[in-house]
Amino acid sequence: MNAVMAFCGICLLLVIGKILRTFIPVLQRLYLPASVIGGLVGLLLINLIGSGVSSAWYSSWSSFPGFLINVVFASLFLGVEATGGVRKAWHLAAPQMCFGQIVAWGQYVVGLGMVILLLGPFFGVPAVFGNLLEIGFEGGHGTVGGLAETFAQLGWPEGKDLGYTVATVGMIFGIVIGMIMVNVAARRGYISNIRTYSDQSKLEKIGVYAEKNQPAAGRQTVYPDSIDSLALHISLIGIAILFGFFLKMGLSYIEQFMPDSVQQTHVLQSFPLFPLCMIGGLILQAFLRKTNTDVIADTGQMQRIAGTALDFLVVSAVASIRIEFVVAYWQPLLLLCIAGIVWNVFTVMFVAPRMFKEAWFERSIAEFGQSMGVTATGLLLLRTVDPESKTVAASAFGYKQLLHEPIMGGGIWTSLAVPLAISWGAGKLFIVCAVFLVFWLIMWLAIFRVPAATRR
């Protein structure tokens, strides 16, 4: 019964978030997702009247994100068609990948640098506090949820709630500051295809498709008398998660044979499940292609499943934030988030116009949205500045995701850096991250730098 109440409570919050966004114009102008609005409503209700309501409604919400992020990552590459025109794809993806890596590694350098110079000495925060910038901004609520068990195993359970807070700040300010930069870019003539809030129809503003324009949610790939197509796609995701679970068991087994110095860090045992689910999805998709059965997996259906999981993930993550941890760390959290926002804005306004030969603002604003919240935020900002996809930005951003996601923003390094921060300390990890940042900066200067005369 508790599970039923918890699920119904999350559904109620999502609908409340959608209703509030429909009837409150300022929420529409801010482009806040219903999941964030509903999560904030849930957070408010729990902390104001939680003692007068049965905890069965919300006690298990904190466990939802850790499971749902496995669904999101397992579905990333399932149903994705093999890319044709490798040379063209690489031409677009390489500089976009370089820019994305500079942004992500820079978040580590800024966060860990803040811990070393300011937050550690004055507020006594641990080294892993510096990781929250990339985990929360670049990774988002799902990555934080996936790392919750890792935080607990490594003796810093409050990292989950602080990470959710950073992710919420990133998502909200990613949209707000992103729209501010869009308007500045329009006034300066950097973009010409902008579609403003006033250009949207009434239905667009409230987020509802006109009946004649409702897009398909995906293709049914099998006859329903054999198995429902949606059930098959969910089952494929479950198999990918199972592969990821076996990989995690393998890592735990391998750690027994590692040197004592490695075993003491628990770096393999504490490695989270969700990036391994992404690898499981890649393995399963490769098997489907090899056996010529990949036709049963449709990208559209996989995206809808992932999108559903992400909405439920965000609303449960925001609603389950423990305010006492946020209050205890509010000063270093505020300073960390400000530093991260400044870095991200700097990369858009300074690095991007020197890196991209065309559509520099469109390409960088999409990256800004993702590096502050989720991919959907980046696509929202991109759709605002390039509504008809007249530039290469959408293609470059999509190709880049295939290379970037396995590493940062919830990928292998994001997961590995948490136990390393605790075992190595902020100084050593800062050096490693700074080396990678310099590497990608050199890649930019040596290969992708654009002469001033060719900038738009």
Side-chain angles (χ1 to χ4, degrees):
M1 183 60 72
N2 287 359
V4 173
M5 294 175 68
F7 174 71
C8 292
I10 290 294
C11 293
L12 186 61
L13 288 179
L14 271 172
V15 173
I16 289 173
K18 178 59 181 174
I19 292 172
L20 290 175
R21 193 182 191 276
T22 299
F23 290 101
I24 301 178
V26 67
L27 297 179
Q28 299 168 18
R29 288 183 175 273
L30 291 175
Y31 295 95
L32 287 183
S35 56
V36 174
I37 300 170
L40 291 173
V41 170
L43 181 65
L44 185 65
L45 290 175
I46 290 173
N47 286 277
L48 289 181
I49 62 173
S51 58
V53 179
S54 172
S55 63
W57 283 96
Y58 58 84
S59 59
S60 60
W61 286 355
S62 61
S63 64
F64 284 13
F67 167 71
L68 291 173
I69 189 59
N70 298 324
V71 175
V72 174
F73 269 71
S75 63
L76 278 177
F77 299 109
L78 283 174
V80 176
E81 296 180 2
T83 302
V86 174
R87 179 173 296 181
K88 178 182 177 181
W90 175 250
H91 175 74
L92 291 174
Q96 194 79 28
M97 170 73 172
C98 182
F99 183 75
Q101 290 288 308
I102 288 173
V103 174
W105 287 106
Q107 288 182 354
Y108 275 110
V109 170
V110 169
L112 292 167
M114 289 283 289
V115 168
I116 294 171
L117 299 176
L118 178 63
L119 305 183
F122 290 96
F123 299 101
V125 300
V128 71
F129 189 89
N131 292 37
L132 291 179
L133 199 55
E134 197 271 347
I135 292 171
F137 275 12
E138 184 85 22
H141 295 87
T143 299
V144 178
L147 289 169
E149 185 178 347
T150 300
F151 283 131
Q153 289 178 349
L154 297 175
W156 198 53
E158 58 264 45
K160 176 192 70 174
D161 299 277
L162 300 179
Y164 285 151
T165 303
V166 174
T168 304
V169 170
M171 183 174 288
I172 294 173
F173 282 91
I175 297 172
V176 173
I177 296 177
M179 294 306 296
I180 292 173
M181 287 197 292
V182 165
N183 284 284
V184 170
R187 286 198 298 269
R188 294 184 179 180
Y190 299 152
I191 50 178
S192 57
N193 298 319
I194 183 173
R195 193 163 189 267
T196 62
Y197 178 79
S198 59
D199 294 328
Q200 298 177 7
S201 67
K202 183 178 180 180
L203 287 178
E204 284 181 288
K205 291 175 181 178
I206 65 175
V208 176
Y209 284 110
E211 185 175 359
K212 62 181 180 180
N213 295 326
Q214 292 176 344
R219 297 176 300 165
Q220 297 192 60
T221 59
V222 291
Y223 283 99
D225 59 350
S226 62
I227 183 175
D228 185 84
S229 184
L230 182 60
L232 175 62
H233 283 73
I234 294 174
S235 300
L236 291 175
I237 290 174
I239 294 172
I241 295 174
L242 182 63
F243 285 170
F245 179 73
F246 287 149
L247 289 172
K248 181 173 174 60
M249 290 179 61
L251 289 178
S252 299
Y253 179 76
I254 291 172
E255 191 173 70
Q256 303 177 54
F257 304 99
M258 302 294 285
D260 291 341
S261 58
V262 176
Q263 292 187 38
Q264 291 173 3
T265 65
H266 303 291
V267 65
L268 297 182
Q269 184 179 346
S270 60
F271 198 84
L273 176 60
F274 67 94
L276 301 177
C277 293
M278 175 179 60
I279 297 175
L282 282 168
I283 294 172
L284 180 55
Q285 181 65 18
F287 172 79
L288 293 176
R289 284 190 188 138
K290 191 70 175 178
T291 57
N292 294 320
T293 56
D294 54 318
V295 67
I296 67 173
D298 174 61
T299 305
Q301 291 215 36
M302 289 298 179
Q303 288 176 342
R304 297 288 66 75
I305 295 171
T308 301
L310 192 58
D311 272 340
F312 278 88
L313 184 159
V314 171
V315 71
S316 57
V318 175
S320 60
I321 292 174
R322 295 179 61 180
I323 295 296
E324 62 268 27
F325 288 147
V326 180
V327 171
Y329 285 88
W330 77 268
Q331 290 174 305
L333 270 178
L334 177 63
L335 293 172
L336 185 73
C337 289
I338 291 174
I341 291 171
V342 170
W343 165 252
N344 285 358
V345 172
F346 170 78
T347 57
V348 172
M349 303 309 295
F350 181 81
V351 178
R354 292 163 173 80
M355 177 173 293
F356 299 126
K357 294 181 179 180
E358 55 180 321
W360 71 266
F361 186 81
E362 290 89 343
R363 296 174 71 165
S364 62
I365 200 64
E367 206 66 48
F368 175 85
Q370 185 197 31
S371 65
M372 291 286 290
V374 292
T375 302
T377 304
L379 295 176
L380 166 70
L381 295 173
L382 176 57
R383 191 165 60 247
T384 302
V385 298
D386 188 19
E388 299 177 7
S389 297
K390 292 183 177 180
T391 73
V392 299
S395 297
F397 185 71
Y399 289 139
K400 164 257 176 185
Q401 292 295 87
L402 299 175
L403 303 172
H404 183 80
E405 288 286 350
I407 304 171
M408 311 298 284
I412 302 299
W413 176 255
T414 302
S415 305
L416 191 61
V418 173
L420 289 180
I422 293 175
S423 60
W424 286 1
K428 187 179 294 186
L429 187 61
F430 174 85
I431 293 173
V432 171
C433 294
V435 167
F436 277 101
L437 176 60
V438 170
F439 167 79
W440 288 106
L441 286 170
I442 292 174
M443 288 288 288
W444 160 39
L445 293 171
I447 302 175
F448 304 120
R449 191 174 187 182
V450 182
T454 67
R455 298 175 204 154
R456 192 179 73 185

